[in-house]
Amino acid sequence: MYVFMTNGTIDYLQRLRSQYPSEQMLLVCDEENGMLIHETEGTSVFHEPRPYEVLDAVGPLDGSFVVCNNIPVTDEGRPLFEHRFQQRARLIEKEPGFVSIRVLRPLKSDTYVIMTMWENESAFRRWQQSKAYEKAHEKRGTEKGIDQQRSIFPRPSYVTTYTVIKEG
């Protein structure tokens, strides 16, 4: 399975989405831009997408609030990073308000994306305050934490959040 992303104005992306009603797409926006997310077994309908291979997927491409943890990883660090996510605790799936997760391997860049989808922003914020979040991130900041493997991260990770724009 693959995920392709492209950015543009909301109007442009809505028109693009409407041209492909049978494709699985999610239109989201932040304060400045729109982004269209296309999930498929095949190729993208976008002209110049950011392509990703889906390493792990739980739940539908849906929700009202999307959080993308963007994590640059060196070529040498990819096996270690992917192993870490294959071993994840999977506690997030049990959280109230959780809709889905995608662990995305970049095909044309060095930045992995851990994308979670939530019923709303409040559900995500509650997850951040939960024991499950604490457990999922318990090694962070310790010598066993992947965040301390500085040689595999060429630059800091960053988080982007989006609101889903429903059709209509």
Side-chain angles (χ1 to χ4, degrees):
M1 174 122 52
Y2 298 92
V3 165
F4 300 95
M5 298 181 199
T6 193
N7 292 84
T9 65
I10 301 299
D11 288 344
Y12 170 76
L13 296 174
Q14 283 176 320
R15 285 194 307 275
L16 182 59
R17 178 176 61 179
S18 70
Q19 291 173 15
Y20 302 96
S22 63
E23 294 292 330
Q24 181 65 32
M25 294 187 187
L26 191 66
L27 179 58
V28 299
C29 68
D30 60 14
E31 297 83 30
E32 302 170 12
N33 301 303
M35 182 170 69
L36 194 54
I37 304 165
H38 178 210
E39 185 171 67
T40 181
E41 295 286 347
T43 58
S44 180
V45 299
F46 304 151
H47 292 293
E48 294 185 30
R50 289 186 309 286
Y52 300 88
E53 182 178 1
V54 178
L55 297 179
D56 189 10
V58 174
L61 193 67
D62 199 7
S64 293
F65 188 69
V66 177
V67 179
C68 293
N69 193 353
N70 304 273
I71 308 168
V73 178
T74 63
D75 285 343
E76 299 81 21
R78 284 177 174 234
L80 175 63
F81 183 80
E82 290 180 16
H83 176 75
R84 156 73 171 83
F85 274 93
Q86 289 167 350
Q87 304 302 312
R88 69 185 181 86
R90 300 191 176 275
L91 297 173
I92 193 172
E93 288 94 326
K94 297 177 178 95
E95 282 300 302
F98 170 84
V99 175
S100 59
I101 185 170
R102 299 294 185 273
V103 178
L104 306 175
R105 173 195 290 146
L107 298 177
K108 290 187 177 178
S109 78
D110 68 351
T111 304
Y112 285 73
V113 177
I114 313 306
M115 181 170 47
T116 56
M117 287 148 267
W118 300 87
E119 287 177 1
N120 52 49
E121 184 175 356
S122 298
F124 171 69
R125 300 291 174 212
R126 282 191 303 275
W127 150 248
Q128 287 185 304
Q129 303 302 315
S130 73
K131 294 287 185 201
Y133 181 90
E134 227 174 83
K135 174 79 174 154
H137 298 90
E138 69 185 347
K139 293 179 184 174
R140 183 185 287 168
T142 72
E143 64 182 46
K144 290 186 178 184
I146 196 165
D147 63 319
Q148 298 303 301
Q149 309 293 319
R150 303 222 187 279
S151 62
I152 76 168
F153 300 111
R155 57 194 177 282
S157 63
Y158 60 97
V159 174
T160 51
T161 59
Y162 303 92
T163 302
V164 174
I165 300 173
K166 298 293 185 184
E167 290 189 56

